Amino acid sequence: MYENIGKKIKGLAQVFGWLWLIAGIIWAFIFWAGKQALLGFIPLIGGGMMCISSWILYGFGQLVEDISAIRNKPTQTVKAPVVVDELPEL
């Protein structure tokens, strides 16, 4: 359940984004069918805004995925350069 959580967060963000957008479009058509044209734009704009706000959740999932990849990356040993404590003559 908690394996590969970054991918699951990103999937959840996509599902929420599409659901809000589709719900906004459906509610807009319901209002437009009821001859309330101006009220139909409210759920349409709201659904679009919620779809855009799901990008934040998707970005968080990407961040979690990237940090997990960095943590699981094998480390390489790098030798430090040798520092000489001698100053050149003036």
Side-chain angles (χ1 to χ4, degrees):
M1 181 168 145
Y2 297 107
E3 306 280 323
N4 200 3
I5 194 69
K7 186 175 180 181
K8 290 176 184 175
I9 291 172
K10 287 172 29 177
L12 182 68
Q14 288 178 339
V15 168
F16 279 159
W18 283 109
L19 282 177
W20 279 110
L21 186 62
I22 291 169
I25 291 171
I26 290 171
W27 277 104
F29 280 122
I30 290 172
F31 281 122
W32 289 333
K35 305 293 184 207
Q36 298 173 344
L38 291 176
L39 287 178
F41 289 107
I42 294 172
L44 189 63
I45 292 171
M49 295 295 285
M50 291 302 291
C51 179
I52 290 171
S53 69
S54 71
W55 295 346
I56 297 169
L57 184 61
Y58 188 89
F60 179 71
Q62 184 68 44
L63 185 65
V64 169
E65 207 171 58
D66 291 345
I67 289 174
S68 295
I70 290 171
R71 183 176 18 143
N72 295 333
K73 182 179 176 183
T75 59
Q76 298 176 355
T77 56
V78 178
K79 292 184 179 181
V82 177
V83 179
V84 179
D85 288 331
E86 295 178 11
L87 294 174
E89 291 192 30
L90 298 176

